[in-house]
Amino acid sequence: MPKMKTKSAAAKRFKATGTGKLKRNKAYKSHILTKKTTKRKRNLRKAAMTDATNEKNMKKILPYL
């Protein structure tokens, strides 16, 4: 059976934790920042875990992570 290919777009956006969960960065932090509150922008800095509903699909996309 041939090797599976990793989706490079997903590889750039997700990192695996020690327990095998997927860590991701939050969206909405790239532009139009003047109307967003400081608190909202600060909370967008923190990494988040991938939701359980998407975890299975992400693991399929990232076979060697």
Side-chain angles (χ1 to χ4, degrees):
M1 190 161 153
K3 291 182 189 176
M4 293 174 71
K5 283 194 174 181
T6 298
K7 294 280 184 255
S8 54
K12 292 168 192 174
R13 289 166 172 79
F14 296 95
K15 295 277 180 277
T17 62
T19 55
K21 292 181 180 175
L22 294 176
K23 192 168 69 169
R24 65 175 177 83
N25 284 322
K26 291 180 183 172
Y28 309 111
K29 181 75 172 64
S30 56
H31 60 93
I32 317 175
L33 298 172
T34 51
K35 64 175 78 169
K36 292 170 188 157
T37 64
T38 311
K39 181 182 177 181
R40 184 172 163 194
K41 288 186 281 192
R42 185 170 61 244
N43 287 329
L44 288 170
R45 273 185 226 150
K46 300 170 189 169
M49 300 313 247
T50 305
D51 195 63
T53 54
N54 297 323
E55 191 102 23
K56 192 173 148 188
N57 290 332
M58 290 296 120
K59 294 263 170 113
K60 202 179 289 182
I61 286 172
L62 300 159
Y64 302 107
L65 195 64

